């Protein structure tokens, strides 16, 4: 009798866990991994600002970021015309070379296919957000002045 009860409790626990996992929203942010095949087309998207993190897996400074970039991506959800990307320079050396990346981590804003600004501040979600929103506003003002 104890074995039957334990099996029942085990199956009930698995079912409950499965239901909870399915009903929870995803916790990972919308951070888009860019590759040699996607980078150029993505950062050239019309009227879209890209804020991209360049890292390598072996870099202690990149490792120390933990989930900062994913948390930042989540904080940026809902911001129109701003995309958050990341490039693994260990795998995508050519992309990083063309983007003029020489140290890690590097955080760079792209617009219309060009690198337009590099973030050099503290690694803080609110500061990153303020920076990219200010850059996006400058780019929008410049675009209006040209039109």
């Amino acid at each position: 009798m104890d074995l039957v009860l334990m099996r029942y409790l085990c199956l009930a626990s698995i079912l409950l866990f499965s239901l909870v996992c399915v009903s929870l929203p995803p916790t990972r942010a919308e951070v888009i991994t860019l590759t040699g095949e996607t980078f150029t087309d993505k950062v050239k998207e019309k009227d879209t600002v890209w804020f991209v993190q360049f890292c390598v897996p072996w870099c202690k400074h990149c490792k120390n970021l933990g989930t900062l970039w994913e948390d930042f991506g989540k904080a940026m959800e809902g911001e129109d015309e701003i995309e958050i990307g990341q490039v693994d320079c260990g795998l995508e050396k050519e992309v990083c070379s063309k983007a003029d990346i020489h140290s890690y981590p590097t955080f760079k804003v792209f617009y219309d296919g060009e690198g337009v600004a590099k973030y050099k501040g503290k690694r803080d979600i609110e500061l990153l957000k303020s920076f990219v929103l200010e850059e996006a506003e400058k780019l929008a003002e410049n675009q209006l002045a040209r039109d």
Side-chain angles (χ1 to χ4, degrees):
M1 183 74 162
D2 288 327
L3 185 61
V4 172
L5 181 59
M6 287 190 59
R7 283 185 179 168
Y8 173 76
L9 289 175
C10 183
L11 288 173
S13 297
I14 291 170
L15 178 62
L16 180 61
F17 179 75
S18 297
L19 290 173
V20 168
C21 288
V22 168
S23 65
L24 291 175
T27 56
R28 292 211 60 170
E30 184 62 35
V31 174
I32 299 167
T33 298
L34 301 171
T35 67
E37 295 176 2
T38 62
F39 181 82
T40 301
D41 289 340
K42 290 292 186 182
V43 299
K44 283 185 178 179
E45 287 178 348
K46 184 172 174 48
D47 299 326
T48 302
V49 172
W50 278 85
F51 195 19
V52 182
Q53 173 196 43
F54 296 87
C55 271
V56 288
W58 47 261
C59 170
K60 74 175 185 173
H61 301 292
C62 294
K63 289 178 183 178
N64 288 340
L65 293 174
T67 62
L68 174 74
W69 203 243
E70 287 80 14
D71 295 342
F72 170 64
K74 186 174 183 179
M76 292 300 296
E77 285 179 1
E79 292 292 340
D80 290 339
E81 313 304 331
I82 298 175
E83 296 287 349
I84 308 303
Q86 64 184 8
V87 176
D88 179 342
C89 292
L91 297 174
E92 305 296 338
K93 291 178 177 82
E94 189 174 323
V95 170
C96 299
S97 178
K98 286 181 181 178
D100 199 31
I101 306 302
H102 302 286
S103 61
Y104 309 106
T106 296
F107 305 93
K108 211 166 181 181
V109 175
F110 291 84
Y111 184 74
D112 199 22
E114 299 293 324
V116 294
K118 189 185 283 190
Y119 180 76
K120 297 181 182 181
K122 290 185 177 183
R123 278 50 184 266
D124 173 84
I125 291 172
E126 289 306 314
L127 293 175
L128 288 163
K129 187 172 181 176
S130 294
F131 172 79
V132 74
L133 290 173
E134 286 173 20
E135 291 299 320
E137 188 174 324
K138 287 181 206 174
L139 291 163
E141 289 171 3
N142 290 342
Q143 185 68 36
L144 285 174
R146 279 188 258 153
D147 292 340

